[in-house]
Amino acid sequence: MYVLLVYDIKEKRVGKMLKLCRRYLNWIQNSVFEGEITEVKLKELLAKAADFLDTEEDSVLIFKSRSQQWLEKQVLGQERNRLDTFL
Amino acid sequence: MYVLLVYDIKEKRVGKMLKLCRRYLNWIQNSVFEGEITEVKLKELLAKAADFLDTEEDSVLIFKSRSQQWLEKQVLGQERNRLDTFL
């Protein structure tokens, strides 16, 4: 499935989250990732994130779509780097 | 249509962008908005944003889906405020 992940977390944990997300998804904007991922891999990512995130302070939103074709993307201004996953 | 809007813009323009987006969409996380909006209204929003954004520095991503039902939302940690649009 296609996933869009957006986080808003305290600065001290951002580096760890960025590194984790990059192992599973493609970075498209500050704190925004997208990519094809399986349900199992997504669970793994979220379990790892839950290990160090503070759920009282941090927020991670995940939007899942069965296929990327249901989502049309439009960009105003800069599209940030698109990195391939490292897996 | 259902729209997800995520921006990454320089701090000095954030207040203006936040205020603008709140007139059209619902705020769900720091720099993330969602909502039902027509193509015409979205164009209006983006035209207004283009008036003050610096397209060399700023980035606005818009994900459009014909219907919200194609997107399943999952939250880890806090779900931020959900404000109704002021229109």
Side-chain angles (χ1 to χ4, degrees):
Chain A
M1 69 189 165
Y2 171 79
V3 156
L4 199 68
L5 186 153
V6 191
Y7 58 75
D8 175 18
I9 64 184
K10 277 278 150 71
E11 208 173 332
K12 56 186 168 187
R13 291 182 288 271
V14 162
K16 215 164 177 177
M17 187 61 175
L18 189 75
K19 205 173 156 187
L20 174 65
C21 289
R22 276 187 165 163
R23 287 178 50 208
Y24 293 84
L25 298 164
N26 307 307
W27 180 65
I28 49 168
Q29 196 196 68
N30 176 36
S31 76
V32 186
F33 287 79
E34 70 169 2
E36 282 292 330
I37 191 170
T38 63
E39 193 71 60
V40 172
K41 282 286 173 191
L42 179 63
K43 268 194 186 146
E44 193 181 289
L45 161 56
L46 295 180
K48 284 179 182 172
D51 276 350
F52 62 86
L53 289 185
D54 180 336
T55 52
E56 293 295 311
E57 288 192 321
D58 302 330
S59 167
V60 181
L61 298 178
I62 301 105
F63 298 89
K64 305 175 190 178
S65 177
R66 207 177 302 174
S67 161
Q68 192 171 355
Q69 73 188 27
W70 301 120
L71 274 190
E72 188 195 330
K73 187 162 70 175
Q74 189 180 345
V75 181
L76 179 67
Q78 298 298 307
E79 182 160 30
R80 311 294 194 209
N81 210 357
R82 288 180 72 98
L83 291 173
D84 289 320
T85 56
F86 296 135
L87 282 183
Chain B
M1 68 189 167
Y2 171 78
V3 156
L4 198 69
L5 186 152
V6 191
Y7 60 74
D8 174 18
I9 65 184
K10 277 278 149 73
E11 209 173 332
K12 55 187 169 188
R13 292 183 287 273
V14 161
K16 215 163 177 178
M17 187 62 175
L18 188 75
K19 205 172 157 187
L20 175 65
C21 290
R22 276 186 165 164
R23 289 178 49 207
Y24 293 86
L25 297 164
N26 307 308
W27 180 66
I28 49 168
Q29 196 196 67
N30 176 36
S31 76
V32 186
F33 287 80
E34 71 170 0
E36 283 291 331
I37 190 170
T38 63
E39 193 70 60
V40 172
K41 283 286 175 192
L42 179 62
K43 269 195 186 146
E44 192 181 290
L45 161 56
L46 294 180
K48 283 179 183 172
D51 276 350
F52 63 85
L53 290 185
D54 180 336
T55 52
E56 294 295 310
E57 288 191 320
D58 302 330
S59 168
V60 181
L61 298 178
I62 301 107
F63 298 88
K64 306 175 192 178
S65 177
R66 209 176 304 174
S67 161
Q68 193 171 355
Q69 74 187 26
W70 302 120
L71 275 190
E72 187 195 330
K73 188 162 68 175
Q74 188 179 347
V75 181
L76 178 67
Q78 297 300 306
E79 183 161 29
R80 312 293 194 209
N81 210 356
R82 288 180 71 100
L83 290 173
D84 289 320
T85 56
F86 295 136
L87 280 183

